[in-house]
């Protein structure tokens, strides 16, 4: 078991990331074909994010008492069932229920990826392995969009059949290629007890241990940027189908281009910023560029310029994520880093939920309103980033 090479795990994570993104390019088509309300694109994503947020701590706790490989397998099966429920859903209520069901299990898979790597990696290799996982996830997710879009040109049901089948295959592969990763034997506890110990709001309740003025400002930057990004991304996927009439194949191809652009931006501009510049200053310029790009998208009516500027925005936005995460980690005291990063992840989840909901609701009023909303959120994030630069660090006593 212990001799199973880590490269096999990385190969299965690539397959999982591809599989998890197969249905996204066809979701706008499903909503249009069923003549559902426009807000459903945001409501469906928010539903999945909400159950993901609620159950992620539970799966994290389960990994403490059991092991990551079995959690990945269980969640892959659950996710497969959820996607089949989504495939046969015909009403708004059924779609929302299916997305909630999928979200319960999807979060467990990707949390277990991180837990597994932390458990099986040597301390000196842990950072490198986590970076490899992040890079592979970015590229393979883009390919998932592309493949899903192409399959959607043949049949939407085919997308879900392939996705459900691959999820079941991943469940088997996780059990075959992953090691037994639980480092410490712990007493068995019931699932009811694990649920009681898995309060999703615990990170927010523990914030009183570290929160101060600088953290409030910095987390405002993170929350607003993620709120704006989610609102724009969800609107973008639906807008190009609803307004421009582009099929799932185009959606998948564009998303693949965005993924490649984001990877190049992170591998070049982001690394240069973090190594050669003051990240506190640089994040202001990046957020400002994102703001200008989004407002530029809202003002154009041409298909090519809309897509071109959007790809540029997503590439620039990809840079903000590792930079803000680094700023948060640097600001945290070593003894409180896990609590601070837990709070950071909670903020991102809530930003995703409310960003998707806002995009869906605003779209029903006017299709470009979610884009304007995203631009305002990024502009506000830029202002808070400027305030953070001006605010002096609290001196240690």
């Amino acid at each position: 078991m212990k001799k199973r090479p880590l490269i096999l795990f990385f190969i299965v994570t690539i397959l999982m990331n591809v599989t998890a993104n197969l249905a996204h390019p066809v979701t706008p088509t499903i909503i249009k074909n069923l003549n559902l309300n426009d807000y459903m694109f945001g409501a469906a994503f928010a539903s999945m994010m909400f159950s993901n947020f609620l159950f992620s701590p539970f799966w994290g706790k389960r990994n403490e008492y059991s092991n990551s490989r079995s959690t990945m397998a269980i969640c892959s099966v659950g996710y497969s069932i959820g996607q089949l429920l989504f495939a046969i859903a015909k009403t708004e209520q059924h779609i929302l229920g299916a997305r909630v069901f999928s979200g319960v299990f999807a979060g467990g898979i990707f949390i277990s990826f991180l837990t597994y790597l932390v458990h099986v990696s040597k301390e000196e290799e842990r950072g490198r392995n986590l970076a490899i996982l992040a890079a592979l996830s970015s590229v393979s997710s883009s390919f998932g969009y592309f493949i899903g879009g192409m399959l959607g040109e043949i049949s939407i049901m085919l997308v879900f059949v392939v996705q459900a089948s691959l999820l079941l295959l991943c469940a088997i592969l996780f059990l075959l290629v992953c090691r037994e990763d639980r480092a410490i034997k712990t007493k068995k506890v019931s699932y009811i007890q694990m649920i009681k110990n898995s309060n999703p709001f615990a990170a927010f309740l523990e914030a009183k241990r570290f929160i101060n003025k600088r953290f409030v400002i910095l987390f405002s930057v993170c929350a607003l940027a993620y709120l704006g990004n989610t609102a724009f991304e969800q609107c973008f996927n639906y807008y190009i189908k609803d307004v421009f009439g582009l099929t799932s194949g185009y959606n998948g191809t564009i998303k693949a281009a965005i993924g490649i652009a984001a990877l190049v931006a992170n591998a070049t501009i982001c690394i240069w910023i973090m190594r050669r510049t003051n990240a506190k200053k640089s994040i202001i310029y990046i957020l400002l560029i994102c703001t200008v790009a989004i407002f530029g998208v809202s003002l154009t009516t041409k298909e090519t310029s809309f897509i071109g500027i959007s790809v540029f925005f997503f590439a620039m936005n990809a840079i903000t994520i590792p930079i803000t995460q680094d700023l948060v980690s640097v600001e945290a005291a070593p003894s409180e880093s896990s609590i601070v990063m837990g709070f950071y992840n909670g903020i991102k989840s809530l930003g995703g939920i409310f960003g998707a909901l806002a995009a869906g609701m605003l779209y029903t009023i006017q299709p470009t309103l979610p884009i304007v909303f995203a631009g305002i959120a990024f502009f506000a994030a830029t202002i808070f980033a400027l305030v953070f630069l001006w605010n002096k660090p609290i001196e240690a006593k």
Side-chain angles (χ1 to χ4, degrees):
M1 294 280 287
K2 292 183 178 180
K3 294 182 179 180
R4 295 177 182 178
L6 201 55
I7 189 173
L8 296 178
F9 167 73
F10 283 128
I11 291 173
V12 183
T13 63
I14 291 173
L15 179 61
M16 173 54 73
N17 278 288
V18 168
T19 305
N21 288 278
L22 290 177
H24 293 318
V26 300
T27 300
T29 303
I30 293 172
I31 295 172
K32 297 298 293 183
N33 288 350
L34 294 175
N35 294 315
L36 303 180
N37 289 305
D38 289 332
Y39 61 72
M40 275 301 296
F41 75 85
F45 183 80
S47 298
M48 186 174 182
M49 286 291 294
F50 182 66
S51 58
N52 189 322
F53 169 70
L54 288 181
F55 280 85
S56 288
F58 168 77
W59 296 116
K61 281 292 180 182
R62 188 189 186 281
N63 289 339
E64 291 181 12
Y65 294 111
S66 182
N67 57 74
S68 304
R69 61 196 285 264
S70 64
T71 298
M72 286 185 271
I74 292 170
C75 289
S76 295
V77 174
Y79 195 6
S80 177
I81 296 171
Q83 292 307 96
L84 288 176
L85 291 174
F86 185 19
I88 62 176
K90 302 298 181 184
T91 67
E92 292 185 358
Q93 293 78 8
H94 290 164
I95 286 178
L96 293 177
R99 302 312 285 154
V100 167
F101 189 91
S102 291
V104 169
F105 297 97
I109 297 171
F110 297 101
I111 282 178
S112 298
F113 283 177
L114 300 175
T115 306
Y116 180 78
L117 275 185
V118 169
H119 285 174
V120 303
S121 299
K122 296 179 181 179
E123 187 173 350
E124 64 272 16
E125 298 176 347
R126 189 175 298 163
R128 184 199 66 181
N129 288 338
L130 290 172
I132 291 173
L133 178 65
L136 292 176
S137 297
S138 176
V139 176
S140 54
S141 295
S142 299
F143 276 105
Y145 261 96
F146 176 74
I147 295 171
M150 293 300 109
L151 290 175
E153 297 285 353
I154 303 171
S155 167
I156 291 178
M157 185 56 69
L158 175 63
V159 175
F160 287 101
V161 171
V162 171
Q163 186 179 41
S165 300
L166 289 177
L167 284 169
L168 293 177
L169 175 62
C170 285
I172 297 171
L173 292 176
F174 283 131
L175 294 176
L176 291 176
V177 309
C178 293
R179 312 170 196 172
E180 172 63 60
D181 66 305
R182 185 177 57 177
I184 302 174
K185 295 293 182 182
T186 56
K187 63 179 182 179
K188 292 185 177 180
V189 297
S190 67
Y191 278 92
I192 298 298
Q193 188 61 42
M194 276 194 281
I195 292 173
K196 290 180 179 179
N197 295 336
S198 305
N199 181 2
F201 299 97
F204 298 100
L205 297 175
E206 292 180 340
K208 59 184 178 182
R209 290 175 51 179
F210 67 84
I211 203 70
N212 55 45
K213 183 179 179 181
R214 282 178 62 79
F215 268 125
V216 169
I217 299 169
L218 182 55
F219 282 127
S220 296
V221 175
C222 300
L224 287 165
Y226 205 74
L227 179 77
N229 175 59
T230 305
F232 180 66
E233 182 175 25
Q234 292 303 304
C235 173
F236 176 84
N237 294 336
Y238 190 73
Y239 191 96
I240 60 177
K241 169 64 179 179
D242 183 44
V243 176
F244 297 135
L246 299 183
T247 62
S248 63
Y250 285 98
N251 195 332
T253 303
I254 293 167
K255 277 293 184 177
I258 289 172
I260 294 172
L263 180 65
V264 172
N266 268 322
T268 55
I269 302 173
C270 183
I271 291 177
W272 179 78
I273 286 174
M274 296 180 72
R275 289 181 178 178
R276 302 292 183 88
T277 73
N278 182 342
K280 295 176 186 177
K281 290 182 179 179
S282 298
I283 191 63
I284 298 171
Y285 297 112
I286 298 299
L287 289 170
L288 185 59
I289 291 172
C290 289
T291 303
V292 174
I294 289 182
F295 282 120
V297 171
S298 70
L299 295 174
T300 184
T301 56
K302 294 183 179 180
E303 182 180 306
T304 52
S305 56
F306 182 94
I307 294 173
I309 300 172
S310 296
V311 171
F312 173 75
F313 160 77
F314 283 118
M316 291 297 100
N317 177 70
I319 299 172
T320 68
I321 298 172
I323 295 178
T324 53
Q325 186 170 326
D326 181 63
L327 289 175
V328 171
S329 64
V330 169
E331 197 70 21
S335 60
E336 297 172 341
S337 59
S338 60
I339 299 174
V340 172
M341 296 313 295
F343 187 87
Y344 171 79
N345 286 327
I347 286 290
K348 284 181 61 180
S349 296
L350 291 181
I353 294 168
F354 289 110
L357 283 175
M361 296 303 175
L362 290 172
Y363 195 95
T364 61
I365 301 172
Q366 215 283 331
T368 57
L369 273 183
I371 304 174
V372 174
F373 172 80
I376 294 172
F378 267 93
F379 180 70
T382 305
I383 299 301
F384 274 101
L386 189 60
V387 174
F388 181 72
L389 176 65
W390 290 340
N391 190 265
K392 295 182 179 180
I394 298 175
E395 295 182 3
K397 294 182 180 179

